Amino acid sequence: MLREVVEYLNPKPGKRYLDGTLGGGGHSEQILIESEPDGLVLGLDRDEEALSAACQRLQRFGARLSERQASFAEASEILATIGWQAVDGVILDLGISSHQIDSPERGFSFRGDGRLDMRMDRRQELDAERVVNTYSESELERIFRDYGEEPQARRIARVLAVERKNKPIETTAELAQLVARAKPGRGRDHHPATQVFQALRIAVNQELVEI
Ligand SMILES: C[S@@+](CC[C@H](N)C(=O)[O-])C[C@H]1O[C@@H](n2cnc3c(N)ncnc32)[C@H](O)[C@@H]1O
């Protein structure tokens, strides 16, 4: 939806834009192109890897792009520190980037195998392994139901609570298998663990609180 988003934002020279979810830098790049020669963008992302990839991609725009590793929830403080009183447009492209999903070691996906991590900001202590292994069964059920709209939330929480007594659940593949076991015969059009992974990601990154 790059074209539609930028059309609505309608970037113009001399204006200032906040990209609260810089990610791979695709939206910011288009804003910088359309606001040539002197439109400015402040790009934020919680993910250090995303930020450095975006900075590399957008190097040619020089000082027209400022970037910070931060949550968009901190935007007003950061705007104050760089001396911007106001912005002319804001974009939030919420969710997860393809880079995050495609990197098994980030632990976001049931495809591939990696440690259960799911932190967008890796300076944060709470990760998915801790949520899965230390949250109460009823809290896990609530997370799967409220953040994943998972109809089998209770069953899945039960299976995880029983399994983790034998051995901590440490990897994305282990979790995906346990969820699939709790939902036999389900998920023909998508992986049975899709909603559980989404729910855990939202819980680990406190995404609703940030919004
Ligand atoms: C869908 S991607 C953005 C893609 C980007 N618009 C592009 O054109 O490449 C979402 C990004 O938002 C970041 N993110 C998620 N929650 C955030 C938050 N509260 N503050 C800042 N960045 C956040 C993620 O780390 C991820 O890089």
Short mmCIF file of all heavy atoms in Angstrom, two decimals, residues 9 11 15-20 22 27-33 35 38-44 58 62-67 82 84 91:
data_model
loop_
_atom_site.label_atom_id
_atom_site.label_comp_id
_atom_site.label_asym_id
_atom_site.label_seq_id
_atom_site.Cartn_x
_atom_site.Cartn_y
_atom_site.Cartn_z
N LEU A 9 -0.70 10.99 2.41
CA LEU A 9 0.20 11.84 3.18
C LEU A 9 0.55 13.11 2.39
O LEU A 9 0.74 14.17 2.96
CB LEU A 9 1.47 11.04 3.51
CG LEU A 9 2.27 11.41 4.74
CD1 LEU A 9 1.39 11.40 5.98
CD2 LEU A 9 3.42 10.42 4.92
N PRO A 11 3.22 14.30 0.54
CA PRO A 11 4.42 15.02 1.01
C PRO A 11 4.77 16.21 0.11
O PRO A 11 4.60 16.14 -1.10
CB PRO A 11 5.54 13.96 0.91
CG PRO A 11 4.86 12.66 0.72
CD PRO A 11 3.55 12.94 0.07
N LYS A 15 8.34 20.49 4.24
CA LYS A 15 7.51 19.98 5.34
C LYS A 15 8.28 18.92 6.15
O LYS A 15 9.29 18.39 5.69
CB LYS A 15 6.22 19.37 4.80
CG LYS A 15 5.40 20.32 3.95
CD LYS A 15 4.63 21.29 4.82
CE LYS A 15 3.72 22.17 3.96
NZ LYS A 15 3.11 23.24 4.72
N ARG A 16 7.70 18.59 7.32
CA ARG A 16 8.36 17.65 8.24
C ARG A 16 7.44 16.46 8.50
O ARG A 16 6.26 16.64 8.81
CB ARG A 16 8.64 18.34 9.56
CG ARG A 16 9.66 19.43 9.39
CD ARG A 16 9.84 20.22 10.66
NE ARG A 16 10.98 21.12 10.48
CZ ARG A 16 11.49 21.90 11.39
NH1 ARG A 16 10.95 21.92 12.60
NH2 ARG A 16 12.52 22.65 11.15
N TYR A 17 8.03 15.27 8.41
CA TYR A 17 7.23 14.05 8.57
C TYR A 17 7.84 13.14 9.63
O TYR A 17 9.07 13.04 9.75
CB TYR A 17 7.14 13.31 7.23
CG TYR A 17 6.46 14.18 6.20
CD1 TYR A 17 7.22 15.00 5.36
CD2 TYR A 17 5.08 14.28 6.14
CE1 TYR A 17 6.61 15.86 4.47
CE2 TYR A 17 4.46 15.15 5.25
CZ TYR A 17 5.24 15.94 4.42
OH TYR A 17 4.63 16.80 3.55
N LEU A 18 6.96 12.49 10.36
CA LEU A 18 7.39 11.49 11.34
C LEU A 18 7.00 10.11 10.83
O LEU A 18 5.82 9.85 10.61
CB LEU A 18 6.69 11.76 12.69
CG LEU A 18 6.82 10.65 13.73
CD1 LEU A 18 8.26 10.49 14.20
CD2 LEU A 18 5.91 10.93 14.93
N ASP A 19 8.01 9.25 10.62
CA ASP A 19 7.74 7.85 10.31
C ASP A 19 8.02 7.07 11.60
O ASP A 19 9.18 6.87 11.98
CB ASP A 19 8.65 7.38 9.16
CG ASP A 19 8.37 5.93 8.77
OD1 ASP A 19 7.67 5.23 9.53
OD2 ASP A 19 8.86 5.50 7.70
N GLY A 20 6.96 6.68 12.30
CA GLY A 20 7.10 6.04 13.62
C GLY A 20 7.53 4.60 13.55
O GLY A 20 7.88 4.00 14.58
N LEU A 22 9.96 2.96 11.03
CA LEU A 22 10.83 3.10 9.85
C LEU A 22 11.03 1.78 9.10
O LEU A 22 11.01 1.75 7.86
CB LEU A 22 12.18 3.68 10.32
CG LEU A 22 13.20 4.05 9.26
CD1 LEU A 22 12.67 5.13 8.33
CD2 LEU A 22 14.50 4.52 9.92
N HIS A 27 8.63 3.47 3.10
CA HIS A 27 7.73 4.62 3.13
C HIS A 27 8.52 5.93 3.23
O HIS A 27 8.23 6.90 2.53
CB HIS A 27 6.74 4.50 4.29
CG HIS A 27 5.65 3.52 4.04
ND1 HIS A 27 5.70 2.22 4.50
CD2 HIS A 27 4.49 3.63 3.36
CE1 HIS A 27 4.60 1.58 4.10
NE2 HIS A 27 3.85 2.42 3.41
N SER A 28 9.53 5.91 4.11
CA SER A 28 10.33 7.14 4.27
C SER A 28 11.01 7.51 2.96
O SER A 28 11.11 8.70 2.62
CB SER A 28 11.39 6.94 5.36
OG SER A 28 10.81 7.14 6.61
N GLU A 29 11.49 6.51 2.25
CA GLU A 29 12.17 6.79 0.98
C GLU A 29 11.23 7.54 0.04
O GLU A 29 11.59 8.56 -0.55
CB GLU A 29 12.61 5.48 0.33
CG GLU A 29 13.33 5.69 -0.99
CD GLU A 29 13.92 4.38 -1.52
OE1 GLU A 29 13.19 3.37 -1.57
OE2 GLU A 29 15.10 4.39 -1.87
N GLN A 30 10.00 7.07 -0.04
CA GLN A 30 9.05 7.70 -0.95
C GLN A 30 8.70 9.11 -0.48
O GLN A 30 8.56 10.04 -1.29
CB GLN A 30 7.80 6.81 -1.06
CG GLN A 30 7.01 7.01 -2.33
CD GLN A 30 7.85 6.85 -3.61
OE1 GLN A 30 8.73 6.00 -3.67
NE2 GLN A 30 7.57 7.69 -4.60
N ILE A 31 8.58 9.28 0.83
CA ILE A 31 8.27 10.62 1.37
C ILE A 31 9.42 11.58 1.04
O ILE A 31 9.20 12.72 0.61
CB ILE A 31 8.06 10.55 2.91
CG1 ILE A 31 6.81 9.73 3.23
CG2 ILE A 31 7.94 11.95 3.51
CD1 ILE A 31 6.68 9.32 4.69
N LEU A 32 10.65 11.08 1.20
CA LEU A 32 11.82 11.93 0.92
C LEU A 32 11.90 12.29 -0.56
O LEU A 32 12.23 13.41 -0.92
CB LEU A 32 13.10 11.22 1.39
CG LEU A 32 13.26 11.19 2.92
CD1 LEU A 32 14.25 10.12 3.36
CD2 LEU A 32 13.71 12.56 3.45
N ILE A 33 11.55 11.34 -1.41
CA ILE A 33 11.58 11.62 -2.86
C ILE A 33 10.52 12.68 -3.20
O ILE A 33 10.79 13.66 -3.88
CB ILE A 33 11.33 10.32 -3.67
CG1 ILE A 33 12.54 9.38 -3.55
CG2 ILE A 33 11.02 10.63 -5.14
CD1 ILE A 33 12.33 7.99 -4.11
N SER A 35 9.11 14.85 -1.35
CA SER A 35 9.22 16.17 -0.69
C SER A 35 10.54 16.85 -1.07
O SER A 35 11.00 17.74 -0.36
CB SER A 35 9.10 16.02 0.83
OG SER A 35 10.18 15.27 1.34
N ASP A 38 13.77 19.63 0.02
CA ASP A 38 14.15 19.92 1.41
C ASP A 38 13.16 19.41 2.47
O ASP A 38 13.22 19.83 3.62
CB ASP A 38 14.38 21.43 1.61
CG ASP A 38 13.16 22.24 1.18
OD1 ASP A 38 12.20 21.63 0.67
OD2 ASP A 38 13.18 23.47 1.35
N GLY A 39 12.24 18.50 2.10
CA GLY A 39 11.36 17.89 3.11
C GLY A 39 12.20 17.06 4.06
O GLY A 39 13.23 16.50 3.67
N LEU A 40 11.75 16.97 5.33
CA LEU A 40 12.53 16.26 6.35
C LEU A 40 11.73 15.09 6.91
O LEU A 40 10.49 15.16 7.01
CB LEU A 40 12.87 17.20 7.51
CG LEU A 40 13.67 18.47 7.19
CD1 LEU A 40 13.87 19.30 8.46
CD2 LEU A 40 15.02 18.12 6.56
N VAL A 41 12.44 14.03 7.29
CA VAL A 41 11.78 12.88 7.93
C VAL A 41 12.53 12.53 9.21
O VAL A 41 13.76 12.47 9.22
CB VAL A 41 11.78 11.63 7.00
CG1 VAL A 41 11.32 10.39 7.76
CG2 VAL A 41 10.88 11.86 5.78
N LEU A 42 11.75 12.31 10.28
CA LEU A 42 12.30 11.69 11.49
C LEU A 42 11.79 10.26 11.50
O LEU A 42 10.58 10.03 11.50
CB LEU A 42 11.81 12.42 12.76
CG LEU A 42 12.10 11.68 14.07
CD1 LEU A 42 13.60 11.54 14.32
CD2 LEU A 42 11.46 12.41 15.26
N GLY A 43 12.71 9.29 11.46
CA GLY A 43 12.32 7.87 11.44
C GLY A 43 12.66 7.20 12.76
O GLY A 43 13.78 7.30 13.25
N LEU A 44 11.66 6.54 13.33
CA LEU A 44 11.87 5.80 14.58
C LEU A 44 11.64 4.32 14.35
O LEU A 44 10.78 3.94 13.54
CB LEU A 44 10.87 6.27 15.66
CG LEU A 44 10.76 7.76 15.93
CD1 LEU A 44 9.70 8.02 17.00
CD2 LEU A 44 12.11 8.33 16.36
N LEU A 58 18.85 4.79 2.90
CA LEU A 58 18.44 6.20 2.72
C LEU A 58 19.60 7.18 2.83
O LEU A 58 19.38 8.39 2.91
CB LEU A 58 17.35 6.54 3.76
CG LEU A 58 16.11 5.62 3.71
CD1 LEU A 58 15.15 5.94 4.85
CD2 LEU A 58 15.39 5.73 2.38
N GLY A 62 21.05 12.16 3.00
CA GLY A 62 21.87 12.92 3.94
C GLY A 62 21.09 13.36 5.17
O GLY A 62 20.31 12.58 5.75
N ALA A 63 21.24 14.65 5.53
CA ALA A 63 20.66 15.17 6.78
C ALA A 63 19.15 15.35 6.69
O ALA A 63 18.53 15.76 7.68
CB ALA A 63 21.33 16.48 7.13
N ARG A 64 18.55 15.05 5.55
CA ARG A 64 17.08 15.16 5.47
C ARG A 64 16.40 14.06 6.28
O ARG A 64 15.21 14.15 6.60
CB ARG A 64 16.62 15.11 4.01
CG ARG A 64 17.06 16.34 3.21
CD ARG A 64 16.59 16.27 1.78
NE ARG A 64 15.16 16.12 1.71
CZ ARG A 64 14.52 15.48 0.72
NH1 ARG A 64 15.19 14.95 -0.27
NH2 ARG A 64 13.21 15.39 0.74
N LEU A 65 17.15 13.00 6.60
CA LEU A 65 16.61 11.93 7.46
C LEU A 65 17.32 11.97 8.81
O LEU A 65 18.54 11.97 8.87
CB LEU A 65 16.83 10.55 6.84
CG LEU A 65 16.46 9.37 7.76
CD1 LEU A 65 14.93 9.20 7.83
CD2 LEU A 65 17.08 8.06 7.28
N SER A 66 16.53 12.03 9.90
CA SER A 66 17.09 11.82 11.24
C SER A 66 16.48 10.52 11.73
O SER A 66 15.30 10.25 11.43
CB SER A 66 16.67 12.91 12.22
OG SER A 66 16.88 14.16 11.65
N GLU A 67 17.24 9.75 12.48
CA GLU A 67 16.66 8.49 12.95
C GLU A 67 17.05 8.24 14.41
O GLU A 67 18.07 8.73 14.88
CB GLU A 67 17.07 7.32 12.06
CG GLU A 67 18.45 6.78 12.24
CD GLU A 67 19.53 7.74 11.81
OE1 GLU A 67 19.32 8.52 10.86
OE2 GLU A 67 20.61 7.72 12.44
N ILE A 82 15.00 17.25 19.11
CA ILE A 82 15.59 17.71 17.84
C ILE A 82 15.03 19.09 17.43
O ILE A 82 15.30 19.58 16.35
CB ILE A 82 15.43 16.68 16.69
CG1 ILE A 82 13.96 16.45 16.31
CG2 ILE A 82 16.10 15.37 17.04
CD1 ILE A 82 13.80 15.67 15.01
N TRP A 84 11.84 20.09 16.88
CA TRP A 84 10.65 20.21 16.02
C TRP A 84 9.45 20.53 16.91
O TRP A 84 9.15 19.78 17.84
CB TRP A 84 10.38 18.91 15.27
CG TRP A 84 11.34 18.57 14.17
CD1 TRP A 84 12.58 19.12 13.97
CD2 TRP A 84 11.15 17.60 13.13
NE1 TRP A 84 13.17 18.54 12.88
CE2 TRP A 84 12.33 17.61 12.33
CE3 TRP A 84 10.13 16.73 12.79
CZ2 TRP A 84 12.48 16.78 11.24
CZ3 TRP A 84 10.28 15.89 11.70
CH2 TRP A 84 11.45 15.93 10.92
N ILE A 91 3.26 8.77 9.85
CA ILE A 91 2.89 7.44 9.37
C ILE A 91 3.30 6.39 10.41
O ILE A 91 4.40 6.45 10.96
CB ILE A 91 3.50 7.12 7.98
CG1 ILE A 91 3.33 5.63 7.69
CG2 ILE A 91 4.93 7.53 7.86
CD1 ILE A 91 3.63 5.23 6.29
#
